[in-house]
Amino acid sequence: SHMQFIAERNPMLAASHYEFFTTRLNLPQTADTQAEKNHRILGEAVAKNPDNLQVWQAWIRLFLRQKRFEDALVALRKGVEMATQIQTKVTLQQFQSEVLFDSASNLAETQGEDATRIQRLTLLSEAVRLAPSNRRAVEQLVILGFPLKDGQSDSWLFDAKAGAQPGS
């Protein structure tokens, strides 16, 4: 179809289709149908060229717009394995860290802060392990009272905190 041709030529459009149908036109069914097509197109595109970060970005953004954090993380883990360039692997890991952070934030919003504390600690500590430069994740861990002793098991977190800018 014409739409599929456009999406294949410009995968960056795929994620915005979902938003267009849901927010502007208020047609969730159309959006979900289109989203499934786009997931297929984007999945095929990254399989053909696992080092194309723009396509990865579009695909992950589509999952995030749908609040499908688990699917986004599965795709990113696959991406880290599939990527041939070290820079791509590193960038996808940073993405993974961001998605873990978003997932933790979403849990707090949808299921309450107290009920999800342990889950969020787990997600956030994994986010910081993958990308110690993820300041938002480091800050949230500190707010949640993650122990910041310089013990061997969590020295990566201590290092991350030490590397964060003053005032964080």
Side-chain angles (χ1 to χ4, degrees), residues 80-165:
V80 172
E81 287 167 24
M82 286 167 42
T84 59
Q85 296 170 19
I86 193 73
Q87 187 49 50
T88 308
K89 288 180 188 290
V90 169
T91 305
L92 290 177
Q93 277 185 319
Q94 289 168 337
F95 256 157
Q96 229 173 319
S97 179
E98 289 298 324
V99 173
L100 286 160
F101 177 85
D102 290 342
S103 180
S105 304
N106 185 60
L107 276 175
E109 285 166 26
T110 57
Q111 293 170 40
E113 303 225 346
D114 296 339
T116 59
R117 186 172 185 276
I118 302 298
Q119 274 176 292
R120 287 185 296 137
L121 276 169
T122 306
L123 291 168
L124 291 166
S125 57
E126 177 65 5
V128 176
R129 190 188 66 73
L130 285 168
S133 61
N134 186 341
R135 293 229 2 232
R136 295 185 311 159
V138 173
E139 285 164 11
Q140 278 306 305
L141 272 181
V142 174
I143 289 167
L144 283 172
F146 195 87
L148 278 180
K149 295 179 212 66
D150 192 9
Q152 211 171 351
S153 62
D154 51 22
S155 60
W156 54 268
L157 181 60
F158 188 83
D159 296 342
K161 180 68 183 142
Q165 286 163 18

Side-chain angles (χ1 to χ4, degrees), residues 2-8 10-25 27-28 30-35 37-39 41-42 58 62 65:
H2 177 65
M3 204 67 194
Q4 186 164 348
F5 175 78
I6 292 172
E8 282 168 0
N10 183 1
M12 298 304 285
L13 280 175
S16 59
H17 290 156
Y18 180 78
E19 203 168 15
F20 176 75
F21 286 122
T22 50
T23 57
R24 304 229 185 113
L25 298 183
L27 296 169
T30 314
D32 290 336
T33 312
Q34 186 62 47
K37 282 183 197 154
N38 291 338
H39 280 302
I41 291 165
L42 293 165
L62 181 55
R65 289 207 173 108

